[in-house]
Amino acid sequence: MTATPLSVPERADLLRLLADAAAAASTTDRDDLVDSLKQLSQRVEDPTIRVVVVGQFKQGKSALVNAMVDQSVCPIDDVIGTAVPTVVQYGETPSAVMWSEVDGVEGLQSRSIPIDSLRQHVTEAAESQDGVRPVRVDVYLPNQLLAQGISFIDTPGVGGVTKAHVASTLSMIPVADAVFMLSDASQEYTQPELAFLKQAMTLCPTVSCVLSKTDLHVQWRTIAEANREHLAAAGLDLPLMPASAASHLRAVATNDAALDRESGIPQLKADLTGDLLDRVLTETGQAVGRQVISVVDHLRLPIDSELATLRDPGRSGAVVKSLKESQAAAQALSQKSAKWQQTLSDGSNDWISDMEYDLRDRLRRVGRECEMLIDDCDPSEVWEEIGAWLADSIAQAVADNFVWSHQRAEWLAARVADHFSVEGAVELPSLRFSDTEGVLNPIAGLEALPSGHMSLPQKVILGMRNSYGGILMFGLLTSLSGMPLVNPFSIGAGMLVGGFSYRQDAAARLERRRSMAKVAVRRLIDEAMFQVGKEQRDRFREVKKTLRDHFADMAEHMKRSLQEAIDSAKAGAKSKTEGGRTDRISTLQAREATLAELAERARRLLPPGAANESAVPAGDSEAVVA
């Protein structure tokens, strides 16, 4: 994690700036601008910083979360793993709440559970209930680190035999402020782990690699160096931090400061409470700066228009004409036939079509590869291994489709924003939705395949049935020479025919098993397409609604600001007395000075290059009235 080059703002200063801007907007009855400032104030007041802990099964994710909060809250087991995401956050008293989907009931249902019984609810050994599907468990603890606004999300593993959690885990990363990717020190990075890291970096700006269980493997330094080489070869510029949750807990119990430093956990905590908190607060400050500058530009537009006509009444006609031209453009943006609406509609149709094609293409490739594996073996003998490979491959394909879809959504938002970007930057809507748990349902396993094994009696009966024809046929031929029906020649011929028929029957049974296996694979692929396609379409509709509402509100803000500017310009032109104009000019200049001071405070929160950009898409207010 690298420190930001900007000075980190204080949360109180941000809230004060937003309050002052809201007060300025309230004086002109701009409730629409006040509402947007209030929404941002809630974001500033909410100190939650989400740290998602990810990795393959049995890499020590739950143990790391326990070490970070200095309490054994997340269940740890040598065999079973976490199956339900666990959110550990601050609370004055220890408690836990489970959120579930219930058949026939709309929305998530919550119920309190004992904090010491999490194993029964979040692990693979959890007791299943018909019609109830756990989505996540929220755990509240009185902890100093959590009190600073940091929360940890312990996720299911992204590999395994019976379940594929890659897609559901990836769905949590877009709402994360930081991601810890765990891999234990027993082996170097695998290709799936590197692929997952690339996906995570696409969805979250801050990803850190943690080499866990260093206390169990004396060669961890060699593994760490090899992992750094793998990261460099894959083009991933990511920090790799060794850590041992067990050593930290022993150090805390024995008050051993040296062992605690060696565990690496204090360094992880320092990074979270230092660089990460500063980065999140700096990014929030930049959002506040952009929003306040946007509000100031909207409020200055009618002031500058009225001042222009008060100072030179002869220019009132030109000022009003210029404003009406801008108003016509803003009016066009608010129509359903506006170009940005067409871009959103056409882009959305292309997006959903490409998204569905991409998903089908990826899953069909997985299906073809699996059928090739089936053709090269007896599927009944390696059916469990095929199921594990197929689950991981489907999860990888779904995850790639999820990442691609998220990138496409951001690209579409930028395209729509181009219609508003006459001058300066346009604030894009946030597409990181908070309710992403369960956005992709886990894919079920393969259905059972009949075994190709035959018992000894079955083999005997099959051999006798197949050899009977050979004995009878050759017995009849040899009987012409006076030999009995059953003789050494007919028995030998029957054994030859029986063996040949047995081999043919075995080959036919193998082909039937392969056909049944391919049908099972195709059914699973179809189920994956159906389930994932439905979830992606639901997400698509949410993204489209978010974009539409965001840019529609932007167009309405522009319309209202320009209309007020026109009314102000006309009011300034109607002022008859010199004294009345002078007093009004003084009043407006005082307001303008207040807004200028707000804008200056907001610009201090932005990088040097962005400080000069206007946040009002309609253009600079002075340019409109010039």
Side-chain angles (χ1 to χ4, degrees), residues 468-506:
Y468 173 78
I471 294 174
L472 182 61
M473 180 175 59
F474 280 91
L476 290 174
L477 289 176
T478 56
S479 66
L480 296 177
S481 61
M483 298 178 68
L485 183 66
V486 179
N487 58 71
F489 294 101
S490 63
I491 292 175
M495 293 178 64
L496 290 174
V497 173
F500 177 76
S501 299
Y502 180 84
R503 289 190 296 272
Q504 281 191 322
D505 183 78

Side-chain angles (χ1 to χ4, degrees), residues 43 105 155 219:
R43 173 181 167 184
V105 180
T155 63
Q219 79 283 9

Side-chain angles (χ1 to χ4, degrees), residues 135 269 288 307 323 455 487:
V135 173
K269 292 183 179 181
V288 169
L307 280 174
L323 289 169
S455 64
N487 58 71

Side-chain angles (χ1 to χ4, degrees), residues 193-252:
E193 286 178 316
L194 292 173
F196 186 86
L197 276 172
K198 291 180 180 179
Q199 294 170 338
M201 288 185 65
T202 303
L203 300 174
C204 179
T206 304
V207 178
S208 297
C209 300
V210 178
L211 186 67
S212 61
K213 302 183 181 181
T214 56
D215 59 308
L216 299 179
H217 305 281
V218 295
Q219 79 283 9
W220 69 265
R221 291 179 177 83
T222 303
I223 297 296
E225 187 60 30
N227 283 346
R228 291 188 179 97
E229 293 177 0
H230 289 313
L231 292 173
L236 302 175
D237 184 15
L238 296 174
L240 179 65
M241 297 172 288
S244 170
S247 295
H248 171 73
L249 293 178
R250 284 198 301 270
V252 171

Side-chain angles (χ1 to χ4, degrees), residues 97-231:
V97 177
M98 184 174 72
W99 298 83
S100 305
E101 293 177 342
V102 181
D103 289 346
V105 180
E106 185 176 356
L108 296 180
Q109 305 300 307
S110 65
R111 67 183 181 93
S112 297
I113 59 176
I115 197 170
D116 56 357
S117 66
L118 290 183
R119 181 181 299 272
Q120 304 174 16
H121 302 283
V122 303
T123 67
E124 293 175 326
E127 299 177 359
S128 60
Q129 301 180 16
D130 294 337
V132 179
R133 293 174 297 281
V135 173
R136 76 173 189 272
V137 172
D138 292 341
V139 177
Y140 300 91
L141 296 174
N143 177 271
Q144 183 178 0
L145 180 63
L146 300 178
Q148 298 183 54
I150 296 175
S151 65
F152 295 95
I153 304 177
D154 182 19
T155 63
V158 294
V161 175
T162 58
K163 294 185 179 180
H165 295 287
V166 174
S168 58
T169 297
L170 274 175
S171 69
M172 304 173 196
I173 295 180
V175 299
D177 296 293
V179 174
F180 281 171
M181 172 68 181
L182 265 67
S183 179
D184 67 31
S186 63
Q187 64 176 7
E188 303 174 17
Y189 277 141
T190 62
Q191 192 59 38
E193 286 178 316
L194 292 173
F196 186 86
L197 276 172
K198 291 180 180 179
Q199 294 170 338
M201 288 185 65
T202 303
L203 300 174
C204 179
T206 304
V207 178
S208 297
C209 300
V210 178
L211 186 67
S212 61
K213 302 183 181 181
T214 56
D215 59 308
L216 299 179
H217 305 281
V218 295
Q219 79 283 9
W220 69 265
R221 291 179 177 83
T222 303
I223 297 296
E225 187 60 30
N227 283 346
R228 291 188 179 97
E229 293 177 0
H230 289 313
L231 292 173

Side-chain angles (χ1 to χ4, degrees), residues 248-535:
H248 171 73
L249 293 178
R250 284 198 301 270
V252 171
T254 60
N255 199 24
D256 189 337
L259 179 61
D260 199 18
R261 286 193 300 270
E262 185 179 346
S263 72
I265 299 299
Q267 183 61 45
L268 285 177
K269 292 183 179 181
D271 288 342
L272 287 179
T273 57
D275 292 345
L276 179 60
L277 283 171
D278 291 348
R279 181 185 65 79
V280 171
L281 196 56
T282 300
E283 291 177 353
T284 303
Q286 293 179 19
V288 169
R290 289 190 295 268
Q291 185 66 30
V292 170
I293 289 176
S294 174
V295 169
V296 167
D297 286 342
H298 280 288
L299 297 178
R300 283 188 59 182
L301 187 57
I303 293 176
D304 291 342
S305 302
E306 187 172 356
L307 280 174
T309 56
L310 286 171
R311 289 167 177 162
D312 187 359
R315 290 185 56 212
S316 61
V319 170
V320 172
K321 179 180 178 181
S322 175
L323 289 169
K324 285 186 175 181
E325 291 175 354
S326 298
Q327 186 186 40
Q331 184 70 28
L333 286 173
S334 64
Q335 300 296 324
K336 290 185 177 180
S337 59
K339 288 185 177 180
W340 74 268
Q341 293 271 22
Q342 297 175 10
T343 298
L344 177 59
S345 178
D346 294 343
S348 299
N349 293 334
D350 292 342
W351 177 23
I352 191 65
S353 176
D354 292 344
M355 181 178 66
E356 291 178 344
Y357 175 82
D358 179 80
L359 178 63
R360 292 194 198 99
D361 181 61
R362 294 181 191 275
L363 292 179
R364 283 177 176 174
R365 284 204 300 267
V366 170
R368 288 193 292 268
E369 291 180 16
C370 190
E371 290 183 4
M372 292 174 63
L373 291 176
I374 292 172
D375 286 334
D376 293 337
C377 67
D378 183 350
S380 65
E381 297 179 354
V382 291
W383 193 233
E384 185 175 341
E385 289 79 2
I386 290 177
W389 178 89
L390 185 60
D392 288 341
S393 298
I394 289 177
Q396 188 67 46
V398 171
D400 289 338
N401 177 259
F402 178 89
V403 173
W404 178 87
S405 176
H406 185 83
Q407 292 174 314
R408 186 65 178 266
E410 294 179 333
W411 174 83
L412 179 58
R415 279 200 62 195
V416 176
D418 288 341
H419 293 283
F420 292 79
S421 184
V422 177
E423 187 174 313
V426 176
E427 186 75 11
L428 295 178
S430 173
L431 299 179
R432 298 184 174 186
F433 302 105
S434 58
D435 187 16
T436 56
E437 296 89 349
V439 66
L440 298 173
N441 293 329
I443 306 301
L446 284 170
E447 59 190 53
L449 185 68
S451 172
H453 176 72
M454 295 181 64
S455 64
L456 181 60
Q458 288 176 321
K459 292 180 179 179
V460 171
I461 292 174
L462 180 62
M464 293 178 62
R465 184 180 62 191
N466 291 334
S467 62
Y468 173 78
I471 294 174
L472 182 61
M473 180 175 59
F474 280 91
L476 290 174
L477 289 176
T478 56
S479 66
L480 296 177
S481 61
M483 298 178 68
L485 183 66
V486 179
N487 58 71
F489 294 101
S490 63
I491 292 175
M495 293 178 64
L496 290 174
V497 173
F500 177 76
S501 299
Y502 180 84
R503 289 190 296 272
Q504 281 191 322
D505 183 78
R509 286 186 285 109
L510 175 60
E511 288 302 317
R512 284 196 298 271
R513 289 196 298 275
R514 286 173 175 170
S515 297
M516 295 175 63
K518 292 178 181 179
V519 170
V521 168
R522 290 166 190 161
R523 287 176 179 171
L524 182 58
I525 295 293
D526 289 341
E527 181 185 356
M529 288 183 182
F530 174 76
Q531 292 183 357
V532 177
K534 172 64 167 61
E535 295 294 342

